[in-house]
Amino acid sequence: MWTFPYYTPNQPLDWTLLEQTFSWLDEMRHVPQDPIWHAEGDVLTHTKMVVDALLHLPEFQALDLQNQHIVLMAALLHDVEKRSTTCEEIINGQTRIVSPNHAKKGEHTARYLLYTVFDAPFAVREHIAKLVRLHGLPLWAISKPYPEKAVISASLSVNTQLLAMLAKADVLGRECVDKEDILLRIDLFEALCHELNCWGVAREFASDYGRFWYLNHENSSPDYVPFDNLQFDVYMMCAVAGSGKDFFIQKHLSHLPMLSIDAIRREHGFDPADKGDNGRAVQFAKEQAKVYLREKRGFVFNATNISRDLRGKWLDLFYQYGARVHIVYLEVPYRQLLAQNRNREYVVPEKVLEQMLWKLDVPDVSEAFSVQYRV
């Protein structure tokens, strides 16, 4: 079981020690918030109030110890990237304080800290990171164009019961005029989860393809079972450099041809630090991929693919040709990653490796027919 070492059940947190230990917490005291939504003041004050509210919730106290540590850590980190996103904006003629995309950026920060500092297991880390990303969903789910899809999709990456608990603490830990209305929205989120069979559990689907279809088609039903007419398999590797992609392919996928952007760079003498060379390497890779795709021939696409946006461009190409895509995500512990990188033939500068970790988007089941996590 993973634990946050500064939390003891039924005991308050030592905030003085935490602020002295973690600079990201101390920095929150200097980040202002809009007084309409957060009359309590700066982000650190809000975070302390959220944690206090969470610890006093009966539903939190009823959790097993592992889930207590998960939701507590999510509460500590839920607004961590208001540090980098807070700014002033003119709205309806008034100057307001806003923090656009703080939850999305906070997911990356949570993932990085839990991987490099707190040594959290993969499943625990990803659960916390996704709680940070989605912490506002229960407040706004019923206002979304497709609230059912938003709720079902969330259930595939987080425990919706913990998500609602975090959102409730987030509201109780602030001073605002419409607190009761916001709490009602969380109740409606819970009711919707119950209705869609995903309260505290992942929504079940009849097949992997049915799940993929539902998540990628606007007017589909979660109960629809599409006919699987995909004709061949493409395996997309996803991992930070030095995680062992080549070894995995040699051991498990050597029967398939491999398309490697790194191999193309080396073959043509392209400089990986040169944008022009990178563009040419990608173009070579696309042309070779189209050869396999037109032949309906399975292959392995070997690249880091750590960005969801970058993966999406390749996935769109593969799907255009009727491929059944499997994403294989690889990960090793942080210290092992550093050691493996130092010992590989083509060493990646550690500064570049750190940048990759900050940008890492762990793939989820909405992106492919299947996602394998080899950690």
Side-chain angles (χ1 to χ4, degrees), residues 8-71:
T8 301
N10 303 315
Q11 297 292 328
L13 295 183
D14 184 340
W15 285 104
T16 300
L17 175 61
L18 289 174
E19 292 164 45
Q20 291 173 347
T21 305
F22 302 115
S23 60
W24 47 270
L25 258 180
D26 183 62
E27 289 167 8
M28 291 181 185
R29 73 171 67 255
H30 306 294
V31 183
Q33 299 185 109
D34 195 290
I36 293 178
W37 298 105
H38 289 281
E40 72 278 1
D42 61 74
V43 176
L44 180 60
T45 299
H46 169 60
T47 299
K48 290 180 178 181
M49 292 173 65
V50 170
V51 170
D52 183 65
L54 178 70
L55 296 178
H56 285 88
L57 287 176
E59 53 265 47
F60 175 83
Q61 296 169 1
L63 291 174
D64 62 66
L65 194 55
Q66 180 63 97
N67 279 320
Q68 283 190 359
H69 283 274
I70 286 173
V71 72

Side-chain angles (χ1 to χ4, degrees), residues 101-172:
N101 296 316
H102 75 275
K104 180 178 180 180
K105 192 169 182 182
E107 175 192 357
H108 288 87
T109 298
R111 178 174 292 120
Y112 179 85
L113 291 173
L114 289 161
Y115 179 59
T116 63
V117 177
F118 293 103
D119 197 26
F122 174 80
V124 169
R125 184 195 77 210
E126 287 306 304
H127 200 172
I128 295 170
K130 289 299 183 182
L131 284 170
V132 171
R133 173 67 177 269
L134 297 171
H135 72 265
L137 178 64
L139 282 61
W140 307 110
I142 60 172
S143 303
K144 288 185 172 291
Y146 301 96
E148 296 87 356
K149 183 160 292 183
V151 167
I152 287 175
S153 178
S155 79
L156 300 176
S157 58
V158 299
N159 181 316
T160 52
Q161 188 173 3
L162 297 187
L163 181 60
M165 195 181 305
L166 175 61
K168 185 176 181 180
D170 189 14
V171 176
L172 295 174

Side-chain angles (χ1 to χ4, degrees), residues 207-213 215-216 228 230 232-238 248 253 311 315 318-319 323-329 362-374:
S207 68
D208 289 343
Y209 192 36
R211 178 189 61 212
F212 175 72
W213 184 277
L215 294 173
N216 290 280
D228 184 357
L230 303 177
F232 59 104
D233 296 284
V234 172
Y235 292 85
M236 171 184 276
M237 304 303 297
C238 174
F248 180 90
L253 298 171
R311 287 196 299 270
L315 291 169
F318 301 160
Y319 293 136
R324 181 189 293 102
V325 181
H326 311 272
I327 299 178
V328 181
Y329 175 77
V362 173
D364 65 47
V365 293
S366 68
E367 297 180 63
F369 184 91
S370 72
V371 181
Q372 304 173 34
Y373 301 104
R374 299 296 187 103

Side-chain angles (χ1 to χ4, degrees), residues 206-225:
S207 68
D208 289 343
Y209 192 36
R211 178 189 61 212
F212 175 72
W213 184 277
Y214 172 73
L215 294 173
N216 290 280
H217 291 80
E218 286 186 355
N219 298 314
S220 59
S221 163
D223 299 317
Y224 173 61
V225 182

Side-chain angles (χ1 to χ4, degrees), residues 242-298:
S243 299
K245 295 188 302 297
D246 291 340
F247 178 79
F248 180 90
I249 293 169
Q250 184 180 14
K251 185 174 181 181
H252 299 283
L253 298 171
S254 59
H255 60 289
L256 294 171
M258 181 178 71
L259 174 59
S260 168
I261 293 182
D262 281 344
I264 290 172
R265 289 193 188 100
R266 290 192 286 268
E267 179 183 351
H268 295 274
F270 292 149
D271 180 358
D274 184 279
K275 289 185 178 180
D277 276 0
N278 273 326
R280 285 183 279 275
V282 168
Q283 192 57 43
F284 272 101
K286 284 184 178 178
E287 293 306 316
Q288 182 57 60
K290 289 177 182 178
V291 172
Y292 293 138
L293 293 166
R294 284 192 290 265
E295 295 174 352
K296 307 298 181 185
R297 184 182 179 190

